[in-house]
Amino acid sequence: MSNLDPENWEHIRALGHRMLDDMLNNIRTVAQKPVWQPPPASVRTLFQTASLPQTGADLEALYQQFIEHVVPYAVGNRHPRFMGWVHGGGTAQGMLADMLAAGLNANVGGRNHIPVDIEHMVIRWVTQIFHFPSTTTGLLVSGSSMANFIAILTACRAIAGAEVRQSGLSGRHLVGYACESAHGCIARSFDMAGLGIQALRRVKTDNHFRMDIAGLKQMITADRAQGLEPFILIGTAGTVNVGAIDPLEALADIAAEEKLWFHIDGAFGAMAILSAQHAPLLQGIERADSLAFDFHKWLQVPYDAGCVLIRHPEIQAKTFAQSLDYLSREDRGLAALAGEAPWFCDLGPELSRGFRALKVWFALAGFGTEALGAVIARSCQVAHYLEAQVQTLPWLELMAPVVLNIVCFRVVVPQVKDLDHFNAELVKDLHESGMAAPSTTKIRGHVVIRVAIVNHRTTEQDIDILLETLHNLARTRTKRQKHQ
Ligand SMILES: *Cc1c(COP(=O)(O)O)cnc(C)c1O
């Protein structure tokens, strides 16, 4: 063998077509299988003990392993009754786009080629979706964790000055604010940016789980009085716990008054702007200095794809570019700029970057913003159907208001004293039943069942199946407790 290309192209073509057919069928029939099943110990052992291969195996044999040992034991987020955490369902079209991107194997860190232009195009499109100025810069990244980190670091450089890149923060005590239910990646960003986790002040929430404005103002005043230097205000558009949206307009006002950078973590919730009915909830998002959000959640683009937008031109490049003449590449040839814009490697920490933009382009252009908005509106409709059931059925209790697509509730049985434990066990029972997979979370100290409708395949019928299964499991568990 002289290189790694297939020895027999006809053989690989036939196998490739079979893989494609198998996977399309698999996606098409995903609802007929369990949502999730525990990986058997035997399968786990297989991978834990596999030794480093010195000689190659047949691709066909590897594919067989994938079909037998991987596919049945995946996380299950393609299934309409996967309702845990906030996971997108993916699409067949997205799978094909990812295959094409891998086939092209473009490195979109920079240089003069059209995949760079495609990423600029999708950034321009989302800039329009959120009514940001046309000079906004942005970057496709692995997800909102990375997007939030890039935004927070950029804010830090914008406020503290670019010289901190050379000298570090040396004695300055920068602090920022987010609501107490902000995503964990915000604190991690403060950690990674060298600001320290304590520099993130957690503002308490009101009874709608939104940032309490009076509380925020008091914290800023107290921090300034102590000699600390507030630099960023972080609003969440769609908290993971309950889907709450901070009062973005009020936050924008305070950020302007206090001269703070206004960042929004809109990981999944920001995309609700595509639904005309829900867009008003996000009013104020267009005033943010930066925005982080995902394509792989509500927009159903296959993992992974997130995005960061920075309103102010140049500051993102000033935060990351390693040379100040980042705009003066070669005048022509492969090492020239693709258009006027900087290379993407100058807008974030990564040099080599895959062609994520292709699957995002195919999703935005293939479905159009109207159909994607309809998927989002539909998820909320299904969530409200569940909310109505919870309010009707005497054995269920609603634990948080439903704003978007997340419903938090619990099963209440009079003879059960420890409802936290009972509900936590019920969710594990549900997972093992393979019928539905919500997650749990804690709301005001109580363990609750948390259903997030993100998958475009989920319908009211799936909610009925969830509740029927939950009812049976709760009965079985209550009976068992009585007999102990
Ligand atoms: C999912 C989520 C994140 C993290 O995004 P990833 O894409 O998983 O990195 C951050 N914030 C919120 C509100 C989220 O829902």
Side-chain angles (χ1 to χ4, degrees), residues 86 143-145 148 183 185 236 238-240 265 267-268 294 296-297:
V86 178
S144 286
S145 301
N148 280 306
H183 193 270
C185 72
T236 302
T239 59
V240 262
D265 175 9
F268 72 92
D294 280 319
H296 57 214
K297 289 177 175 169

Side-chain angles (χ1 to χ4, degrees), residues 85-87 141-148 181-186 188 235-241 244 265-269 292-297 303-307 406 450:
W85 306 276
V86 178
H87 284 25
V141 290
S142 55
S144 286
S145 301
M146 182 55 94
N148 280 306
S181 44
H183 193 270
C185 72
I186 303 293
R188 181 150 59 190
T236 302
T239 59
V240 262
N241 257 2
D265 175 9
F268 72 92
F293 62 93
D294 280 319
F295 294 105
H296 57 214
K297 289 177 175 169
Y303 284 91
D304 48 22
C307 184
I406 297 179
R450 176 177 165 289

